[in-house]
Short mmCIF file of all heavy atoms in Angstrom, two decimals:
data_model
loop_
_atom_site.label_atom_id
_atom_site.label_comp_id
_atom_site.label_asym_id
_atom_site.label_seq_id
_atom_site.Cartn_x
_atom_site.Cartn_y
_atom_site.Cartn_z
N MET A 1 -13.49 36.06 8.03
CA MET A 1 -13.45 35.46 6.68
C MET A 1 -13.40 33.93 6.78
O MET A 1 -12.61 33.38 7.52
CB MET A 1 -12.24 36.00 5.91
CG MET A 1 -12.19 35.56 4.45
SD MET A 1 -13.61 36.13 3.48
CE MET A 1 -13.16 37.84 3.24
N ILE A 2 -14.29 33.28 6.06
CA ILE A 2 -14.30 31.80 6.09
C ILE A 2 -13.21 31.27 5.16
O ILE A 2 -13.02 31.76 4.04
CB ILE A 2 -15.67 31.27 5.59
CG1 ILE A 2 -16.78 31.85 6.51
CG2 ILE A 2 -15.70 29.79 5.65
CD1 ILE A 2 -18.17 31.59 6.00
N LYS A 3 -12.53 30.27 5.66
CA LYS A 3 -11.42 29.71 4.87
C LYS A 3 -11.66 28.22 4.59
O LYS A 3 -12.34 27.52 5.39
CB LYS A 3 -10.08 29.90 5.58
CG LYS A 3 -9.71 31.35 5.65
CD LYS A 3 -8.31 31.54 6.32
CE LYS A 3 -7.96 33.01 6.30
NZ LYS A 3 -6.64 33.24 6.86
N CYS A 4 -11.04 27.75 3.54
CA CYS A 4 -11.10 26.31 3.16
C CYS A 4 -10.48 25.49 4.31
O CYS A 4 -9.39 25.80 4.80
CB CYS A 4 -10.32 26.08 1.86
SG CYS A 4 -10.17 24.38 1.43
N ASP A 5 -11.13 24.41 4.71
CA ASP A 5 -10.63 23.59 5.79
C ASP A 5 -9.46 22.73 5.39
O ASP A 5 -8.86 22.04 6.25
CB ASP A 5 -11.76 22.73 6.36
CG ASP A 5 -12.61 23.52 7.32
OD1 ASP A 5 -12.03 24.13 8.25
OD2 ASP A 5 -13.83 23.51 7.14
N HIS A 6 -9.11 22.69 4.11
CA HIS A 6 -7.97 21.92 3.69
C HIS A 6 -6.79 22.80 3.38
O HIS A 6 -5.72 22.68 3.99
CB HIS A 6 -8.32 21.04 2.49
CG HIS A 6 -7.14 20.21 2.03
ND1 HIS A 6 -6.61 19.20 2.79
CD2 HIS A 6 -6.35 20.34 0.94
CE1 HIS A 6 -5.57 18.68 2.13
NE2 HIS A 6 -5.40 19.35 0.99
N CYS A 7 -6.94 23.71 2.39
CA CYS A 7 -5.76 24.49 1.94
C CYS A 7 -5.72 25.86 2.57
O CYS A 7 -4.75 26.59 2.39
CB CYS A 7 -5.75 24.61 0.43
SG CYS A 7 -7.11 25.67 -0.23
N ARG A 8 -6.75 26.26 3.39
CA ARG A 8 -6.78 27.51 4.08
C ARG A 8 -6.89 28.75 3.17
O ARG A 8 -6.66 29.87 3.67
CB ARG A 8 -5.51 27.66 4.99
CG ARG A 8 -5.44 26.63 6.05
CD ARG A 8 -6.53 26.78 7.07
NE ARG A 8 -6.73 25.57 7.89
CZ ARG A 8 -7.76 25.35 8.68
NH1 ARG A 8 -8.71 26.22 8.73
NH2 ARG A 8 -7.86 24.24 9.34
N HIS A 9 -7.23 28.55 1.94
CA HIS A 9 -7.53 29.72 1.09
C HIS A 9 -8.86 30.24 1.44
O HIS A 9 -9.78 29.52 1.89
CB HIS A 9 -7.50 29.28 -0.41
CG HIS A 9 -6.13 29.12 -0.95
ND1 HIS A 9 -5.82 28.35 -2.04
CD2 HIS A 9 -4.92 29.60 -0.52
CE1 HIS A 9 -4.54 28.34 -2.27
NE2 HIS A 9 -3.96 29.11 -1.36
N GLU A 10 -9.06 31.53 1.22
CA GLU A 10 -10.38 32.10 1.48
C GLU A 10 -11.41 31.59 0.53
O GLU A 10 -11.11 31.37 -0.65
CB GLU A 10 -10.30 33.64 1.38
CG GLU A 10 -9.52 34.28 2.55
CD GLU A 10 -9.40 35.76 2.37
OE1 GLU A 10 -9.99 36.31 1.48
OE2 GLU A 10 -8.74 36.36 3.25
N LEU A 11 -12.58 31.29 1.04
CA LEU A 11 -13.64 30.73 0.20
C LEU A 11 -14.29 31.79 -0.65
O LEU A 11 -14.59 32.87 -0.16
CB LEU A 11 -14.69 30.05 1.09
CG LEU A 11 -14.20 28.78 1.81
CD1 LEU A 11 -15.27 28.27 2.76
CD2 LEU A 11 -13.83 27.69 0.82
N GLY A 12 -14.55 31.45 -1.89
CA GLY A 12 -15.27 32.35 -2.77
C GLY A 12 -16.76 32.11 -2.67
O GLY A 12 -17.29 31.66 -1.66
N HIS A 13 -17.47 32.40 -3.76
CA HIS A 13 -18.92 32.28 -3.71
C HIS A 13 -19.35 30.81 -3.86
O HIS A 13 -20.44 30.47 -3.48
CB HIS A 13 -19.56 33.10 -4.84
CG HIS A 13 -19.06 32.76 -6.21
ND1 HIS A 13 -17.89 33.29 -6.74
CD2 HIS A 13 -19.55 31.94 -7.17
CE1 HIS A 13 -17.69 32.79 -7.91
NE2 HIS A 13 -18.67 31.94 -8.24
N LYS A 14 -18.46 29.97 -4.40
CA LYS A 14 -18.78 28.56 -4.51
C LYS A 14 -18.11 27.76 -3.40
O LYS A 14 -16.88 27.68 -3.31
CB LYS A 14 -18.34 28.03 -5.87
CG LYS A 14 -18.94 26.65 -6.14
CD LYS A 14 -18.71 26.21 -7.56
CE LYS A 14 -19.41 24.90 -7.84
NZ LYS A 14 -19.04 24.28 -9.10
N ILE A 15 -18.94 27.20 -2.51
CA ILE A 15 -18.44 26.47 -1.34
C ILE A 15 -18.78 25.00 -1.47
O ILE A 15 -19.93 24.65 -1.71
CB ILE A 15 -18.97 27.04 -0.04
CG1 ILE A 15 -18.51 28.49 0.13
CG2 ILE A 15 -18.50 26.19 1.15
CD1 ILE A 15 -19.14 29.16 1.36
N HIS A 16 -17.76 24.14 -1.33
CA HIS A 16 -18.00 22.70 -1.34
C HIS A 16 -18.12 22.24 0.11
O HIS A 16 -17.25 22.59 0.91
CB HIS A 16 -16.86 21.95 -2.04
CG HIS A 16 -16.78 22.27 -3.49
ND1 HIS A 16 -17.14 21.38 -4.47
CD2 HIS A 16 -16.42 23.42 -4.15
CE1 HIS A 16 -16.98 21.93 -5.64
NE2 HIS A 16 -16.53 23.14 -5.47
N ARG A 17 -19.14 21.47 0.42
CA ARG A 17 -19.32 21.04 1.80
C ARG A 17 -19.11 19.57 1.95
O ARG A 17 -19.43 18.77 1.10
CB ARG A 17 -20.76 21.40 2.25
CG ARG A 17 -20.94 22.87 2.45
CD ARG A 17 -22.38 23.18 2.75
NE ARG A 17 -22.60 24.63 2.85
CZ ARG A 17 -22.32 25.30 3.97
NH1 ARG A 17 -21.91 24.71 5.03
NH2 ARG A 17 -22.51 26.62 4.00
N TYR A 18 -18.56 19.16 3.07
CA TYR A 18 -18.41 17.80 3.46
C TYR A 18 -18.57 17.71 5.00
O TYR A 18 -17.74 18.28 5.69
CB TYR A 18 -17.03 17.24 3.03
CG TYR A 18 -16.83 15.77 3.42
CD1 TYR A 18 -17.56 14.78 2.80
CD2 TYR A 18 -15.93 15.46 4.40
CE1 TYR A 18 -17.34 13.47 3.16
CE2 TYR A 18 -15.69 14.14 4.79
CZ TYR A 18 -16.44 13.15 4.13
OH TYR A 18 -16.26 11.84 4.53
N TRP A 19 -19.63 17.07 5.45
CA TRP A 19 -19.98 17.14 6.87
C TRP A 19 -20.09 18.60 7.29
O TRP A 19 -20.73 19.37 6.60
CB TRP A 19 -18.96 16.36 7.70
CG TRP A 19 -19.03 14.87 7.39
CD1 TRP A 19 -18.48 14.27 6.32
CD2 TRP A 19 -19.74 13.87 8.14
NE1 TRP A 19 -18.79 12.91 6.35
CE2 TRP A 19 -19.55 12.63 7.44
CE3 TRP A 19 -20.47 13.90 9.31
CZ2 TRP A 19 -20.08 11.45 7.92
CZ3 TRP A 19 -21.00 12.67 9.76
CH2 TRP A 19 -20.81 11.48 9.07
N GLN A 20 -19.44 19.02 8.38
CA GLN A 20 -19.54 20.41 8.79
C GLN A 20 -18.38 21.26 8.23
O GLN A 20 -18.23 22.42 8.55
CB GLN A 20 -19.51 20.51 10.33
CG GLN A 20 -20.89 20.36 10.94
CD GLN A 20 -21.14 18.98 11.48
OE1 GLN A 20 -20.43 18.07 11.11
NE2 GLN A 20 -22.15 18.80 12.29
N MET A 21 -17.58 20.65 7.35
CA MET A 21 -16.44 21.34 6.84
C MET A 21 -16.76 22.05 5.56
O MET A 21 -17.68 21.69 4.84
CB MET A 21 -15.29 20.34 6.59
CG MET A 21 -15.09 19.32 7.68
SD MET A 21 -14.56 20.00 9.25
CE MET A 21 -12.81 20.12 8.92
N ARG A 22 -15.96 23.09 5.26
CA ARG A 22 -16.17 23.85 4.03
C ARG A 22 -14.86 23.90 3.23
O ARG A 22 -13.79 24.08 3.83
CB ARG A 22 -16.61 25.28 4.35
CG ARG A 22 -18.05 25.36 4.82
CD ARG A 22 -18.38 26.76 5.23
NE ARG A 22 -17.63 27.15 6.41
CZ ARG A 22 -18.14 27.12 7.65
NH1 ARG A 22 -19.37 26.77 7.83
NH2 ARG A 22 -17.42 27.46 8.67
N PHE A 23 -14.98 23.71 1.96
CA PHE A 23 -13.78 23.64 1.08
C PHE A 23 -14.00 24.50 -0.15
O PHE A 23 -15.08 24.80 -0.57
CB PHE A 23 -13.51 22.20 0.64
CG PHE A 23 -13.31 21.29 1.84
CD1 PHE A 23 -14.40 20.58 2.36
CD2 PHE A 23 -12.08 21.12 2.44
CE1 PHE A 23 -14.25 19.73 3.45
CE2 PHE A 23 -11.94 20.26 3.54
CZ PHE A 23 -12.99 19.59 4.03
N CYS A 24 -12.82 24.93 -0.76
CA CYS A 24 -12.89 25.83 -1.89
C CYS A 24 -13.09 25.06 -3.17
O CYS A 24 -13.53 25.61 -4.17
CB CYS A 24 -11.60 26.66 -1.98
SG CYS A 24 -10.13 25.66 -2.27
N SER A 25 -12.84 23.75 -3.19
CA SER A 25 -12.91 22.98 -4.42
C SER A 25 -13.19 21.51 -4.11
O SER A 25 -12.93 21.05 -2.99
CB SER A 25 -11.69 23.11 -5.27
OG SER A 25 -10.62 22.46 -4.61
N ALA A 26 -13.68 20.79 -5.13
CA ALA A 26 -13.88 19.34 -4.96
C ALA A 26 -12.58 18.62 -4.67
O ALA A 26 -12.52 17.62 -3.98
CB ALA A 26 -14.54 18.78 -6.20
N ALA A 27 -11.50 19.18 -5.22
CA ALA A 27 -10.20 18.53 -5.03
C ALA A 27 -9.77 18.62 -3.54
O ALA A 27 -9.21 17.66 -2.98
CB ALA A 27 -9.11 19.28 -5.87
N CYS A 28 -10.13 19.72 -2.92
CA CYS A 28 -9.82 19.87 -1.49
C CYS A 28 -10.66 18.93 -0.66
O CYS A 28 -10.23 18.40 0.36
CB CYS A 28 -10.00 21.32 -1.04
SG CYS A 28 -8.60 22.36 -1.43
N VAL A 29 -11.92 18.72 -1.03
CA VAL A 29 -12.76 17.79 -0.34
C VAL A 29 -12.15 16.36 -0.40
O VAL A 29 -11.99 15.68 0.59
CB VAL A 29 -14.19 17.74 -0.96
CG1 VAL A 29 -15.04 16.67 -0.26
CG2 VAL A 29 -14.86 19.11 -0.86
N GLU A 30 -11.73 16.00 -1.60
CA GLU A 30 -11.11 14.68 -1.80
C GLU A 30 -9.83 14.52 -0.98
O GLU A 30 -9.63 13.53 -0.30
CB GLU A 30 -10.79 14.47 -3.28
CG GLU A 30 -11.99 13.99 -4.12
CD GLU A 30 -12.58 12.70 -3.55
OE1 GLU A 30 -11.88 11.69 -3.49
OE2 GLU A 30 -13.75 12.73 -3.14
N ALA A 31 -9.03 15.59 -1.03
CA ALA A 31 -7.76 15.54 -0.30
C ALA A 31 -8.03 15.41 1.21
O ALA A 31 -7.35 14.65 1.92
CB ALA A 31 -6.96 16.81 -0.55
N TYR A 32 -9.05 16.15 1.68
CA TYR A 32 -9.35 16.11 3.10
C TYR A 32 -9.87 14.74 3.48
O TYR A 32 -9.48 14.15 4.52
CB TYR A 32 -10.42 17.15 3.44
CG TYR A 32 -10.80 17.09 4.89
CD1 TYR A 32 -10.02 17.72 5.85
CD2 TYR A 32 -11.95 16.41 5.28
CE1 TYR A 32 -10.39 17.68 7.18
CE2 TYR A 32 -12.31 16.34 6.61
CZ TYR A 32 -11.52 16.97 7.56
OH TYR A 32 -11.87 16.90 8.89
N ARG A 33 -10.69 14.13 2.60
CA ARG A 33 -11.26 12.82 2.93
C ARG A 33 -10.14 11.76 2.98
O ARG A 33 -10.15 10.88 3.80
CB ARG A 33 -12.29 12.41 1.85
CG ARG A 33 -13.58 13.16 2.01
CD ARG A 33 -14.56 12.82 0.92
NE ARG A 33 -14.83 11.40 0.89
CZ ARG A 33 -15.57 10.83 -0.06
NH1 ARG A 33 -16.03 11.54 -1.04
NH2 ARG A 33 -15.83 9.56 -0.02
N HIS A 34 -9.15 11.90 2.07
CA HIS A 34 -8.03 10.94 2.09
C HIS A 34 -7.23 11.08 3.39
O HIS A 34 -6.83 10.11 3.97
CB HIS A 34 -7.11 11.17 0.88
CG HIS A 34 -7.66 10.59 -0.36
ND1 HIS A 34 -7.87 9.22 -0.50
CD2 HIS A 34 -8.05 11.14 -1.53
CE1 HIS A 34 -8.38 8.98 -1.70
NE2 HIS A 34 -8.53 10.14 -2.36
N ARG A 35 -7.01 12.36 3.78
CA ARG A 35 -6.27 12.59 5.03
C ARG A 35 -7.03 12.02 6.20
O ARG A 35 -6.48 11.39 7.08
CB ARG A 35 -6.11 14.12 5.22
CG ARG A 35 -4.91 14.48 6.05
CD ARG A 35 -4.82 15.98 6.20
NE ARG A 35 -5.88 16.47 7.04
CZ ARG A 35 -6.14 17.77 7.24
NH1 ARG A 35 -5.43 18.67 6.58
NH2 ARG A 35 -7.13 18.20 8.02
N LEU A 36 -8.37 12.20 6.16
CA LEU A 36 -9.20 11.65 7.23
C LEU A 36 -9.08 10.14 7.27
O LEU A 36 -8.99 9.56 8.38
CB LEU A 36 -10.65 12.06 6.94
CG LEU A 36 -11.57 12.19 8.16
CD1 LEU A 36 -11.13 13.37 9.04
CD2 LEU A 36 -13.01 12.42 7.69
N ASP A 37 -9.11 9.47 6.14
CA ASP A 37 -8.99 8.05 6.08
C ASP A 37 -7.66 7.60 6.73
O ASP A 37 -7.60 6.67 7.48
CB ASP A 37 -9.04 7.56 4.65
CG ASP A 37 -10.47 7.66 4.11
OD1 ASP A 37 -11.39 7.86 4.92
OD2 ASP A 37 -10.63 7.55 2.89
N ASP A 38 -6.59 8.29 6.34
CA ASP A 38 -5.27 7.95 6.88
C ASP A 38 -5.25 8.09 8.41
O ASP A 38 -4.76 7.21 9.10
CB ASP A 38 -4.18 8.85 6.29
CG ASP A 38 -3.89 8.50 4.87
OD1 ASP A 38 -4.31 7.38 4.44
OD2 ASP A 38 -3.27 9.28 4.14
N ASP A 39 -5.79 9.23 8.89
CA ASP A 39 -5.86 9.45 10.33
C ASP A 39 -6.65 8.37 11.03
O ASP A 39 -6.26 7.88 12.07
CB ASP A 39 -6.49 10.82 10.63
CG ASP A 39 -5.56 11.96 10.29
OD1 ASP A 39 -4.38 11.67 10.03
OD2 ASP A 39 -5.99 13.11 10.33
N THR A 40 -7.78 8.00 10.47
CA THR A 40 -8.61 6.99 11.06
C THR A 40 -7.89 5.65 11.14
O THR A 40 -7.93 4.98 12.16
CB THR A 40 -9.93 6.84 10.26
OG1 THR A 40 -10.51 8.12 10.12
CG2 THR A 40 -10.89 5.89 10.98
N ARG A 41 -7.22 5.30 10.02
CA ARG A 41 -6.47 4.04 9.99
C ARG A 41 -5.38 4.04 11.05
O ARG A 41 -5.16 3.08 11.77
CB ARG A 41 -5.84 3.83 8.63
CG ARG A 41 -6.68 2.92 7.72
CD ARG A 41 -5.83 2.32 6.65
NE ARG A 41 -5.24 3.33 5.81
CZ ARG A 41 -5.86 3.88 4.76
NH1 ARG A 41 -7.06 3.51 4.43
NH2 ARG A 41 -5.28 4.83 4.03
N LEU A 42 -4.69 5.20 11.19
CA LEU A 42 -3.62 5.35 12.17
C LEU A 42 -4.17 5.16 13.58
O LEU A 42 -3.59 4.43 14.38
CB LEU A 42 -3.01 6.73 12.03
CG LEU A 42 -1.50 6.85 12.30
CD1 LEU A 42 -0.74 5.99 11.30
CD2 LEU A 42 -1.07 8.31 12.14
N LYS A 43 -5.30 5.83 13.85
CA LYS A 43 -5.91 5.72 15.19
C LYS A 43 -6.32 4.26 15.48
O LYS A 43 -6.04 3.73 16.56
CB LYS A 43 -7.15 6.58 15.25
CG LYS A 43 -6.87 7.98 15.73
CD LYS A 43 -8.13 8.80 15.82
CE LYS A 43 -7.88 10.28 15.62
NZ LYS A 43 -8.93 10.96 14.95
N ILE A 44 -6.89 3.58 14.47
CA ILE A 44 -7.35 2.22 14.68
C ILE A 44 -6.19 1.33 14.99
O ILE A 44 -6.17 0.49 15.92
CB ILE A 44 -8.11 1.70 13.45
CG1 ILE A 44 -9.48 2.45 13.35
CG2 ILE A 44 -8.32 0.21 13.50
CD1 ILE A 44 -10.19 2.20 12.06
N SER A 45 -5.06 1.47 14.23
CA SER A 45 -3.92 0.58 14.46
C SER A 45 -3.26 0.90 15.80
O SER A 45 -2.77 0.03 16.49
CB SER A 45 -2.92 0.71 13.32
OG SER A 45 -2.49 2.01 13.15
N ARG A 46 -3.29 2.20 16.21
CA ARG A 46 -2.77 2.55 17.51
C ARG A 46 -3.61 1.92 18.62
O ARG A 46 -3.07 1.40 19.60
CB ARG A 46 -2.73 4.08 17.70
CG ARG A 46 -1.47 4.69 17.13
CD ARG A 46 -1.49 6.18 17.40
NE ARG A 46 -0.46 6.89 16.65
CZ ARG A 46 -0.58 8.11 16.22
NH1 ARG A 46 -1.63 8.79 16.48
NH2 ARG A 46 0.42 8.68 15.60
N LEU A 47 -4.92 1.98 18.46
CA LEU A 47 -5.80 1.37 19.44
C LEU A 47 -5.57 -0.12 19.52
O LEU A 47 -5.58 -0.74 20.58
CB LEU A 47 -7.28 1.66 19.07
CG LEU A 47 -7.76 3.05 19.36
CD1 LEU A 47 -9.18 3.22 18.80
CD2 LEU A 47 -7.81 3.30 20.87
N ASP A 48 -5.32 -0.70 18.36
CA ASP A 48 -5.07 -2.14 18.29
C ASP A 48 -3.84 -2.48 19.07
O ASP A 48 -3.82 -3.39 19.83
CB ASP A 48 -4.94 -2.55 16.82
CG ASP A 48 -5.03 -4.05 16.65
OD1 ASP A 48 -5.77 -4.67 17.44
OD2 ASP A 48 -4.41 -4.57 15.74
N VAL A 49 -2.78 -1.70 18.88
CA VAL A 49 -1.52 -1.92 19.61
C VAL A 49 -1.70 -1.74 21.08
O VAL A 49 -1.27 -2.51 21.86
CB VAL A 49 -0.42 -0.97 19.04
CG1 VAL A 49 0.81 -1.02 19.95
CG2 VAL A 49 -0.06 -1.35 17.62
N ALA A 50 -2.44 -0.66 21.46
CA ALA A 50 -2.69 -0.38 22.86
C ALA A 50 -3.51 -1.50 23.49
O ALA A 50 -3.27 -1.91 24.62
CB ALA A 50 -3.44 0.93 23.01
N ALA A 51 -4.49 -2.04 22.73
CA ALA A 51 -5.33 -3.09 23.27
C ALA A 51 -4.58 -4.38 23.48
O ALA A 51 -4.93 -5.15 24.34
CB ALA A 51 -6.49 -3.31 22.28
N ALA A 52 -3.49 -4.52 22.73
CA ALA A 52 -2.68 -5.72 22.87
C ALA A 52 -1.90 -5.71 24.16
O ALA A 52 -1.37 -6.74 24.58
CB ALA A 52 -1.73 -5.88 21.70
N GLY A 53 -1.84 -4.53 24.81
CA GLY A 53 -1.21 -4.40 26.11
C GLY A 53 0.25 -4.69 26.10
O GLY A 53 0.98 -4.18 25.27
N THR A 54 0.71 -5.53 27.04
CA THR A 54 2.11 -5.77 27.26
C THR A 54 2.70 -6.87 26.34
O THR A 54 3.88 -7.12 26.33
CB THR A 54 2.39 -6.15 28.71
OG1 THR A 54 1.56 -7.23 29.08
CG2 THR A 54 2.15 -4.96 29.62
N ARG A 55 1.81 -7.51 25.58
CA ARG A 55 2.30 -8.55 24.67
C ARG A 55 2.93 -7.89 23.45
O ARG A 55 2.34 -7.74 22.40
CB ARG A 55 1.16 -9.49 24.30
CG ARG A 55 0.74 -10.34 25.51
CD ARG A 55 -0.38 -11.32 25.16
NE ARG A 55 -1.62 -10.56 24.78
CZ ARG A 55 -2.22 -10.74 23.60
NH1 ARG A 55 -1.78 -11.64 22.74
NH2 ARG A 55 -3.30 -10.11 23.31
N GLN A 56 4.17 -7.47 23.58
CA GLN A 56 4.85 -6.63 22.57
C GLN A 56 4.92 -7.33 21.22
O GLN A 56 4.59 -6.70 20.18
CB GLN A 56 6.27 -6.28 23.01
CG GLN A 56 6.33 -5.31 24.19
CD GLN A 56 5.85 -3.89 23.72
OE1 GLN A 56 6.08 -3.52 22.61
NE2 GLN A 56 5.22 -3.19 24.65
N THR A 57 5.30 -8.55 21.17
CA THR A 57 5.47 -9.21 19.86
C THR A 57 4.10 -9.38 19.15
O THR A 57 3.98 -9.17 17.95
CB THR A 57 6.15 -10.62 20.02
OG1 THR A 57 5.42 -11.33 21.04
CG2 THR A 57 7.57 -10.50 20.43
N GLY A 58 3.09 -9.69 19.93
CA GLY A 58 1.74 -9.81 19.35
C GLY A 58 1.26 -8.50 18.79
O GLY A 58 0.76 -8.45 17.69
N ALA A 59 1.53 -7.41 19.53
CA ALA A 59 1.16 -6.09 19.08
C ALA A 59 1.84 -5.71 17.79
O ALA A 59 1.28 -5.20 16.86
CB ALA A 59 1.43 -5.05 20.17
N LEU A 60 3.14 -6.00 17.74
CA LEU A 60 3.92 -5.65 16.54
C LEU A 60 3.45 -6.40 15.31
O LEU A 60 3.27 -5.83 14.22
CB LEU A 60 5.40 -5.95 16.77
CG LEU A 60 6.17 -4.87 17.48
CD1 LEU A 60 7.60 -5.30 17.84
CD2 LEU A 60 6.21 -3.57 16.68
N SER A 61 3.23 -7.72 15.43
CA SER A 61 2.79 -8.47 14.30
C SER A 61 1.41 -8.06 13.87
O SER A 61 1.12 -8.00 12.68
CB SER A 61 2.83 -9.96 14.59
OG SER A 61 1.85 -10.31 15.53
N ARG A 62 0.54 -7.69 14.85
CA ARG A 62 -0.79 -7.24 14.51
C ARG A 62 -0.69 -5.91 13.77
O ARG A 62 -1.41 -5.62 12.85
CB ARG A 62 -1.61 -7.06 15.75
CG ARG A 62 -2.42 -8.35 16.06
CD ARG A 62 -3.76 -7.97 16.60
NE ARG A 62 -3.77 -8.15 18.07
CZ ARG A 62 -4.75 -7.71 18.85
NH1 ARG A 62 -5.79 -7.11 18.33
NH2 ARG A 62 -4.70 -7.91 20.14
N TYR A 63 0.22 -5.04 14.20
CA TYR A 63 0.45 -3.73 13.56
C TYR A 63 0.90 -3.92 12.13
O TYR A 63 0.41 -3.29 11.21
CB TYR A 63 1.47 -2.91 14.33
CG TYR A 63 1.74 -1.57 13.72
CD1 TYR A 63 0.78 -0.55 13.76
CD2 TYR A 63 2.93 -1.34 13.02
CE1 TYR A 63 1.02 0.66 13.18
CE2 TYR A 63 3.17 -0.15 12.41
CZ TYR A 63 2.22 0.89 12.52
OH TYR A 63 2.46 2.09 11.92
N ARG A 64 1.80 -4.86 11.91
CA ARG A 64 2.28 -5.14 10.56
C ARG A 64 1.14 -5.65 9.65
O ARG A 64 1.02 -5.29 8.53
CB ARG A 64 3.42 -6.16 10.60
CG ARG A 64 4.79 -5.51 10.76
CD ARG A 64 5.92 -6.42 10.33
NE ARG A 64 5.93 -7.63 11.12
CZ ARG A 64 6.60 -7.79 12.27
NH1 ARG A 64 7.31 -6.77 12.73
NH2 ARG A 64 6.57 -8.92 12.93
N ASP A 65 0.30 -6.50 10.24
CA ASP A 65 -0.84 -7.04 9.51
C ASP A 65 -1.74 -5.91 9.04
O ASP A 65 -2.16 -5.84 7.91
CB ASP A 65 -1.64 -8.01 10.35
CG ASP A 65 -0.94 -9.35 10.48
OD1 ASP A 65 0.05 -9.56 9.70
OD2 ASP A 65 -1.34 -10.16 11.29
N SER A 66 -2.04 -4.97 9.96
CA SER A 66 -2.97 -3.90 9.65
C SER A 66 -2.41 -2.97 8.59
O SER A 66 -3.15 -2.47 7.76
CB SER A 66 -3.37 -3.12 10.90
OG SER A 66 -2.23 -2.43 11.38
N THR A 67 -1.08 -2.77 8.59
CA THR A 67 -0.49 -1.88 7.58
C THR A 67 -0.43 -2.57 6.25
O THR A 67 -0.70 -1.98 5.22
CB THR A 67 0.92 -1.42 7.99
OG1 THR A 67 1.65 -2.55 8.39
CG2 THR A 67 0.87 -0.39 9.08
N ARG A 68 -0.14 -3.88 6.25
CA ARG A 68 -0.05 -4.62 5.02
C ARG A 68 -1.43 -4.75 4.34
O ARG A 68 -1.56 -4.65 3.13
CB ARG A 68 0.49 -6.03 5.25
CG ARG A 68 0.92 -6.72 3.96
CD ARG A 68 1.52 -8.06 4.23
NE ARG A 68 0.63 -9.00 4.89
CZ ARG A 68 0.92 -9.63 6.01
NH1 ARG A 68 2.04 -9.47 6.60
NH2 ARG A 68 0.02 -10.43 6.55
N LEU A 69 -2.48 -4.90 5.17
CA LEU A 69 -3.79 -5.11 4.62
C LEU A 69 -4.56 -3.82 4.31
O LEU A 69 -5.61 -3.86 3.77
CB LEU A 69 -4.65 -5.92 5.62
CG LEU A 69 -4.14 -7.36 5.86
CD1 LEU A 69 -4.91 -7.99 6.97
CD2 LEU A 69 -4.27 -8.19 4.59
N SER A 70 -3.95 -2.65 4.65
CA SER A 70 -4.67 -1.38 4.40
C SER A 70 -4.88 -1.18 2.91
O SER A 70 -3.95 -1.29 2.13
CB SER A 70 -3.88 -0.24 4.97
OG SER A 70 -2.68 -0.10 4.33
N PRO A 71 -6.13 -0.95 2.51
CA PRO A 71 -6.48 -0.84 1.09
C PRO A 71 -6.09 0.48 0.48
O PRO A 71 -6.85 1.43 0.49
CB PRO A 71 -7.98 -1.05 1.12
CG PRO A 71 -8.42 -0.53 2.42
CD PRO A 71 -7.25 -0.68 3.37
N LEU A 72 -4.88 0.57 -0.09
CA LEU A 72 -4.47 1.80 -0.75
C LEU A 72 -4.27 1.58 -2.27
O LEU A 72 -3.58 0.68 -2.64
CB LEU A 72 -3.19 2.33 -0.11
CG LEU A 72 -3.47 3.21 1.12
CD1 LEU A 72 -2.10 3.60 1.76
CD2 LEU A 72 -4.20 4.50 0.75
ZN1 ZN B 1 -9.08 24.46 -0.62
#
């Protein structure tokens, strides 16, 4: 049985698609996309911190900048 990739409910005859994912409703597509955006932002800021290497203070201030500037 195919299930919604966001809320895990079984899909009915109407399937909403986003990339290779399947959702039961447009609301689930939106919710998934928001979650994806958050995950992507998190990964980017983590990469940014990792790229800063051992310069701890620089990494921290850069992390604060990225969180403050995130468009929510
Ligand atoms: Zn759903």
Side-chain angles (χ1 to χ4, degrees):
M1 187 61 76
I2 302 170
K3 293 183 178 182
C4 172
D5 278 309
H6 179 69
C7 69
R8 296 294 164 193
H9 284 157
E10 289 179 4
L11 292 174
H13 57 277
K14 192 171 185 190
I15 297 174
H16 294 253
R17 289 174 183 277
Y18 179 70
W19 293 79
Q20 274 98 343
M21 317 295 276
R22 287 175 293 261
F23 303 92
C24 64
S25 67
C28 278
V29 177
E30 277 303 300
Y32 179 82
R33 286 177 59 187
H34 281 299
R35 205 181 70 188
L36 208 66
D37 287 347
D38 286 345
D39 285 352
T40 307
R41 263 203 299 276
L42 214 62
K43 270 182 206 146
I44 289 170
S45 56
R46 273 182 193 152
L47 283 174
D48 194 32
V49 170
T54 52
R55 290 180 297 125
Q56 289 290 327
T57 51
L60 276 174
S61 67
R62 269 216 258 171
Y63 178 73
R64 272 200 298 272
D65 284 349
S66 67
T67 48
R68 193 177 62 235
L69 295 172
S70 64
L72 275 174

